Amino acid sequence: MGEEIPAVRFRSVTKTFGDRPVLVDLDLVVPDGQRLAVIGRSGSGKTTLLRLVMGLERPDAGEIDVYGRTLSLGKNQGHPTSRDTVQLRSIRRQVGMVFQQFNLFPHMTALQNVMEAPIRVLKMSSPNARTAAADLLASVGLADKLSSYPRQLSGGQQQRVAIARAMAMRPKVMLFDEVTSALDPELVGEVLTVIRKLADNTNMTMLLVTHEMTFARDVADRVIFMEEGRIEEEGGPGEIFVNPTSERTRQFLRAILER
């Protein structure tokens, strides 16, 4: 048997904004089905890593693969062709992302927000999309909010709609970027509960950028601590949170846990 193809692979990926390096010669392999927590200080490159996997940014150098297909090549390897663009769209459909801000369409109900992309992108019929969207909203605890507009929902409810919307595209890889950072503290738990349920009930690959260390410890199979665009330390949750080897990791965890 051949080697199993990982869900995501970074090969020597570098990304700069202006003259500031955000990711530096990054190598990373995320096996299929793994739940990877990405932790680190603000500005360490965590969100950029997710945006590169989503195809929202392009690396300056290196290569990013999703299930063995090239998602993105560094800018130093030329401009993408029209064929590359078609492949990019195909690969991006395998990846879903939930952002810090909910980004729901304000003029659409919760149900319409979840139905929109499957109809437009997956060419799903409206009745099928409606049924699937209703089921997804029920799965995140919003069966009674199908007709509600974003302004009528709490922040936690809006973020749960955003999770259902990302799931509606049937992604193989889900990216969560600090999904509770814009929420009031009393609403954080309801969103984390939904993500825990996803982790327990699916085999989906997940990359989770979070400052919620208890959540990361409970949900992740593996944790990476990023510092200045590099992976400073990685390992299982027990290793990283109980006995980190890097002094930088220890300092970061002390600062987070003492808040």
Side-chain angles (χ1 to χ4, degrees):
M1 293 179 62
E3 182 184 357
E4 183 175 332
I5 297 172
V8 178
R9 186 192 296 271
F10 280 63
R11 304 175 194 264
S12 303
V13 170
T14 294
K15 179 67 179 176
T16 60
F17 292 112
D19 58 358
R20 185 172 73 90
V22 181
L23 294 177
V24 183
D25 201 25
L26 182 75
D27 289 307
L28 174 66
V29 176
V30 183
D32 183 36
Q34 185 171 83
R35 283 65 192 262
L36 175 69
V38 185
I39 64 174
R41 297 176 179 83
S42 296
S44 60
K46 307 183 304 296
T47 292
T48 299
L49 186 153
L50 295 192
R51 289 178 63 84
L52 285 164
V53 178
M54 191 66 198
L56 299 175
E57 303 281 356
R58 188 180 175 198
D60 296 309
E63 179 178 340
I64 303 166
D65 298 338
V66 173
Y67 288 102
R69 301 170 69 197
T70 301
L71 169 73
S72 195
L73 291 171
K75 294 175 183 176
N76 61 351
Q77 292 171 267
H79 295 287
T81 65
S82 57
R83 182 179 175 183
D84 294 333
T85 302
V86 170
Q87 172 157 305
L88 172 63
R89 288 183 188 144
S90 171
I91 298 170
R92 281 183 62 180
R93 289 183 192 176
Q94 297 183 299
V95 182
M97 186 165 178
V98 184
F99 299 84
Q100 295 177 27
Q101 301 298 328
F102 326 123
N103 299 327
L104 300 178
F105 295 115
H107 62 289
M108 292 184 180
T109 65
L111 186 69
Q112 290 168 336
N113 264 281
V114 178
M115 290 172 58
E116 179 74 3
I119 290 173
R120 289 183 176 272
V121 180
L122 301 182
K123 307 304 180 187
M124 192 181 291
S125 71
S126 185
N128 287 346
R130 179 178 297 273
T131 299
D135 288 345
L136 282 167
L137 287 166
S139 75
V140 298
L142 295 174
D144 59 339
K145 300 293 184 183
L146 305 189
S147 300
S148 298
Y149 289 89
R151 66 180 179 275
Q152 298 170 316
L153 301 173
S154 70
Q157 289 169 336
Q158 289 185 61
Q159 192 61 291
R160 284 187 277 155
V161 174
I163 292 171
R165 181 177 62 179
M167 290 292 296
M169 292 297 290
R170 304 170 183 168
K172 291 184 177 180
V173 179
M174 276 286 279
L175 313 175
F176 296 92
D177 183 22
E178 295 282 15
V179 295
T180 60
S181 64
L183 300 179
D184 293 331
E186 67 271 18
L187 302 177
V188 169
E190 66 186 63
V191 173
L192 297 185
T193 297
V194 166
I195 300 174
R196 278 192 176 96
K197 185 177 172 184
L198 273 178
D200 289 341
N201 297 332
T202 73
N203 294 318
M204 187 180 299
T205 306
M206 295 182 178
L207 281 70
L208 308 114
V209 169
T210 183
H211 276 110
E212 301 287 341
M213 295 299 116
T214 301
F215 168 72
R217 185 190 63 206
D218 292 347
V219 172
D221 305 313
R222 176 176 161 218
V223 180
I224 62 174
F225 170 65
M226 295 191 65
E227 180 82 354
E228 297 178 351
R230 295 179 170 87
I231 296 174
E232 173 75 14
E233 185 168 1
E234 63 181 299
E239 300 168 65
I240 299 296
F241 292 117
V242 177
N243 191 29
T245 58
S246 164
E247 179 58 30
R248 288 182 170 185
T249 310
R250 288 195 289 269
Q251 290 174 357
F252 169 77
L253 290 174
R254 277 198 299 269
I256 288 287
L257 296 173
E258 288 171 2
R259 286 181 181 174

